[in-house]
Amino acid sequence: MGEGGRVAQRRRTRRAILEATTDLLRSGAEPSVNAVAEAADVSRRTVYLYYPTLDQLVLDATIGLLNVDVDAALEREHSDDPRQRLRTLVAETFATMEASLPLGRTLIRLTVDAPAPADGEPRRGHRRVGWIEWAVEPCREQLGVQRFEDLVSALAMVIGWEAFIVLLDVRGLTASDAQALTLRTAWAILDAALATAE
């Protein structure tokens, strides 16, 4: 299996673990690693590989439940213009983040405190990466593989909990000002990436 296939498989495994946890939460059950592993059809070791602590997994799943509106909004967006897609993504993620800021702060703390993942695996962020990939998908062919991946990575630095909290705590911006700045920055990153592909 090539590197792309392994990455896709890891994403599917992570998604299965997260969906199993979400289903348990929706049912009112108290998720345990054993219950999640059984529902996701993976081993306990695999669950811990992706989520070193149960707290981190449950929190990520809880935030996922809050992000249902983001997924729905992206599905309704039919534009092939990456700038419009980024506008939709930033607007929807900010609505979610502002409403669940304490959860976001906790998620970052748990991520920082968690043991380092093996083999360069990301500690979290698969949902955000998927959204960003969707937003700039129309540019994939024009950019090529490496430039596209670099664009997604650059956008991940400005769209998400970490940047939102920096803008609130370090810069003292209001949520609406932070949203506007995030969108302008995302557009600038996009424009710069497209300029290098010309």
Side-chain angles (χ1 to χ4, degrees), residues 15-190:
R15 187 179 306 116
I17 292 168
L18 201 56
E19 286 176 356
T21 308
T22 300
D23 289 344
L24 289 167
L25 288 169
R26 279 196 186 109
S27 73
E30 185 72 28
S32 67
V33 173
N34 284 340
V36 169
E38 182 178 344
D41 196 25
V42 299
S43 67
R44 283 174 49 90
R45 182 180 178 279
T46 299
V47 174
Y48 281 120
L49 180 66
Y50 288 91
Y51 290 95
T53 69
L54 182 60
D55 283 347
Q56 188 176 355
L57 171 56
V58 170
L59 188 58
D60 201 7
T62 302
I63 289 176
L65 288 170
L66 297 173
N67 285 334
V68 170
D69 289 344
V70 177
D71 292 328
L74 300 191
E75 287 176 12
R76 290 192 303 269
E77 178 57 73
H78 299 298
S79 175
D80 287 332
D81 178 0
R83 291 174 68 88
Q84 175 56 38
R85 287 181 169 212
L86 282 170
R87 180 193 296 276
T88 299
L89 175 58
V90 169
E92 294 300 326
T93 54
F94 262 78
T96 300
M97 289 188 299
E98 187 176 7
S100 55
L101 184 57
L103 287 177
R105 292 184 188 279
T106 302
L107 182 60
I108 290 174
R109 179 181 56 76
L110 289 172
T111 302
V112 170
D113 291 344
D119 300 324
E121 284 284 322
R123 293 173 187 251
R124 64 178 179 84
H126 64 283
R127 190 180 294 112
R128 182 195 325 188
V129 169
W131 290 338
I132 293 171
E133 287 176 340
W134 166 85
V136 296
E137 180 62 31
C139 306
R140 185 186 291 269
E141 188 174 334
Q142 178 182 354
L143 292 174
V145 175
Q146 190 56 56
R147 283 194 181 107
F148 182 83
E149 292 300 323
D150 288 347
L151 173 59
V152 171
S153 295
L155 289 169
M157 289 192 292
V158 299
I159 301 173
W161 286 111
E162 299 84 358
F164 181 49
I165 289 172
V166 165
L167 293 175
L168 296 183
D169 293 358
V170 178
R171 293 297 298 149
L173 270 60
T174 65
S176 61
D177 287 343
Q179 179 179 330
L181 179 60
T182 297
L183 181 58
R184 290 196 306 272
T185 306
W187 280 346
I189 290 170
L190 172 66

